[in-house]
Amino acid sequence: MNKTAALTLLLACMATALPGTLAAQMANPLRGQAAIDQTNRVHDFKPMMKEQPPLERAYVQQPPVIPHQIDGYIINANSNKCLTCHSWENYRSAKATKISLTHFRDRDGKELSNVSASRYFCNQCHVPQVDAQPLVNNGFTPVDALNKN
Ligand code: HEC
Ligand code: HEC
């Protein structure tokens, strides 16, 4: 085999092997091999639950889930919509649960006169619910103190 023939063979091998190698290196997406526009169906999202009484907690340290809609409730450096109802100042007139005292403590355990920065973005921990069947069965039972049955 002369030099040119060897080079041609090498290039031919690379051309066939390369796409396979690239495919093997590509991430395996969670949606499977379906094209994005086949899975991106916004109307499949479940509607948020409407206003309702507080939902039972599953364990004592659980951040209670939000029993009302929060669309458009903005939390940023200038304002926190949640606190307009849940702060100690406003909870009575809003008939809302007052924010937990634990939220006035910084990460070193120091008590503050206002909500700690680590608790400012409420929906880092508190989330609203949708009325949906659990995706995975769960046999978890609450501690006796919360088990009302
Ligand atoms: C317009 C007033 C209002 C705003 C704004 C508001 N809430 Fe509420 N929230 C309420 C009321 C009223 C309740 C129900 C209290 C009851 O029925 O005992 C409640 C209940 C809750 C509960 C359940 C408490 C429990 O003990 O189970 C959580 C958690 C909560 N809200 C979080 C939030 C978060 C987070 C935001 C901001 C994204 C927010 N709320 C904004 C009025 C408000
Ligand atoms: C880092 C997580 C975290 C963040 C952020 C957070 N919370 Fe909580 N929240 C909790 C946990 C955990 C509990 C339950 C245990 C406790 O009281 O600390 C709770 C309890 C509550 C309760 C129930 C209090 C009671 O007396 O039953 C309210 C109301 C509440 N939070 C509101 C808020 C609001 C409003 C914000 C934003 C300003 C917020 N939380 C931010 C974790 C968080």
Side-chain angles (χ1 to χ4, degrees), residues 17-34:
L18 214 58
T21 323
L22 276 181
Q25 282 173 356
M26 268 172 64
N28 193 11
L30 282 175
R31 66 173 187 278
Q33 295 310 317

Side-chain angles (χ1 to χ4, degrees), residues 2-120:
N2 65 25
K3 258 192 189 167
T4 329
L7 196 65
T8 319
L9 188 66
L10 186 69
L11 284 176
C13 288
M14 279 171 70
T16 44
L18 214 58
T21 323
L22 276 181
Q25 282 173 356
M26 268 172 64
N28 193 11
L30 282 175
R31 66 173 187 278
Q33 295 310 317
I36 288 179
D37 59 350
Q38 286 176 297
T39 52
N40 187 16
R41 289 186 310 198
V42 174
H43 59 265
D44 278 354
F45 279 109
K46 305 266 189 262
M48 290 285 173
M49 297 204 295
K50 295 260 153 50
E51 224 96 326
Q52 59 182 315
L55 294 150
E56 273 179 35
R57 301 183 198 184
Y59 57 98
V60 277
Q61 297 85 353
Q62 181 200 320
V65 292
I66 306 175
H68 54 71
Q69 297 186 320
I70 58 164
D71 310 24
Y73 285 3
I74 290 169
I75 306 175
N76 62 22
N78 302 322
S79 68
N80 182 320
K81 179 68 180 172
C82 314
L83 290 175
T84 62
C85 292
H86 287 282
S87 70
W88 278 57
E89 213 180 343
N90 304 329
Y91 80 90
R92 281 187 210 88
S93 54
K95 295 192 171 53
T97 329
K98 72 172 177 293
I99 189 169
S100 173
L101 249 193
T102 61
H103 295 21
F104 288 72
R105 207 174 290 144
D106 73 8
R107 64 178 176 186
D108 302 319
K110 199 171 139 229
E111 298 293 345
L112 309 168
S113 56
N114 212 337
V115 176
S116 164
S118 64
R119 304 287 193 148
Y120 186 75

